[in-house]
Amino acid sequence: FINVAEEDGSSMENAFWKSQAMFYGNGGSTFKPLARGLDVGGHEMTHGVIEKTANLLYQDESGALNESFADIFGQMIDGDVNDWKIGEDVMQSGGGLPSALRDLSNPHNGQASNSPFYQPNHTSEQYFGSQDNGGVHINSGITNRAFYLFASNAQVGTAKAEQVYYKALRDYLVKSSKFVDCRLAVIQAAQ
């Protein structure tokens, strides 16, 4: 569904998956219409795939894995193997906004740590608060960066990496999986 508005009728600056459909707002001061981003569509569609495979709970680390797998496959669907950014086609410019919503190669995204566009890139920077369902969007940068490092390795490449991550999602992760479980699942899937 496109042209989705907030309950008060204002323009929605979001896109989301719910049950059996994708919903896209028209943006505003931060985003352009969100349906214009192929990686955004791939991200939302992947939430449906996640729901039908590992069904990762949308809370804490399992929720961050949920968001990360959606970012990873959204980026893979976008098609440019040298482009590690998500949402670059939907970002408004200026006002201190980054060029993309998220960057798998650099989760800090060129932003200060208090920016909503900054993500940790390692568990040493992990967020442990209650905001954002325990950091589902915030901490997804940790697994995004791990995928980037794996996929950009010349001996692996994106074609193999996406197959390994899909197998890990489908065959080895469960609703309550955490970051360590994802690491083990990726190793098992790669083997």
Side-chain angles (χ1 to χ4, degrees):
F1 295 95
I2 61 170
N3 302 320
V4 177
E6 297 288 354
E7 287 183 23
D8 66 2
S10 63
S11 184
M12 179 180 283
E13 294 220 50
N14 197 6
F16 60 93
W17 165 265
K18 185 174 181 181
S19 298
Q20 297 179 347
M22 299 173 289
F23 297 79
Y24 299 93
N26 285 328
S29 60
T30 303
F31 300 112
K32 298 173 184 173
L34 285 108
R36 70 182 279 155
L38 180 59
D39 50 10
V40 174
H43 172 102
E44 300 310 337
M45 191 175 296
T46 300
H47 280 304
V49 173
I50 293 165
E51 187 178 286
K52 301 300 181 191
T53 55
N55 199 21
L56 294 159
L57 294 173
Y58 206 70
Q59 182 73 41
D60 303 319
E61 287 186 21
S62 61
L65 290 174
N66 191 316
E67 278 298 321
S68 179
F69 274 90
D71 280 350
I72 289 164
F73 290 115
Q75 195 278 329
M76 292 288 98
I77 288 166
D78 203 21
D80 183 352
V81 297
N82 297 312
D83 168 26
W84 297 101
K85 296 177 188 254
I86 296 289
E88 68 276 16
D89 296 328
V90 301
M91 291 298 296
Q92 297 284 10
S93 58
L97 292 171
S99 62
L101 174 58
R102 291 191 272 280
D103 185 342
L104 278 68
S105 67
N106 177 15
H108 293 168
N109 206 9
Q111 301 293 298
S113 61
N114 64 347
S115 167
F117 299 102
Y118 171 98
Q119 295 179 297
N121 66 15
H122 190 273
T123 54
S124 63
E125 300 174 344
Q126 187 171 348
Y127 170 78
F128 289 102
S130 60
Q131 176 187 340
D132 184 33
N133 282 350
V136 299
H137 293 93
I138 297 168
N139 288 325
S140 64
I142 294 167
T143 320
N144 286 354
R145 174 83 174 151
F147 177 81
Y148 162 75
L149 292 171
F150 182 59
S152 63
N153 181 308
Q155 295 179 339
V156 178
T158 56
K160 287 180 187 173
E162 66 186 358
Q163 291 176 14
V164 168
Y165 268 64
Y166 180 72
K167 183 169 181 58
L169 175 68
R170 184 191 67 202
D171 297 344
Y172 302 119
L173 294 177
V174 297
K175 287 179 101 161
S176 60
S177 291
K178 298 184 182 315
F179 291 145
V180 67
D181 301 311
C182 183
R183 179 182 182 272
L184 295 172
V186 168
I187 291 169
Q188 193 169 4
Q191 291 171 340

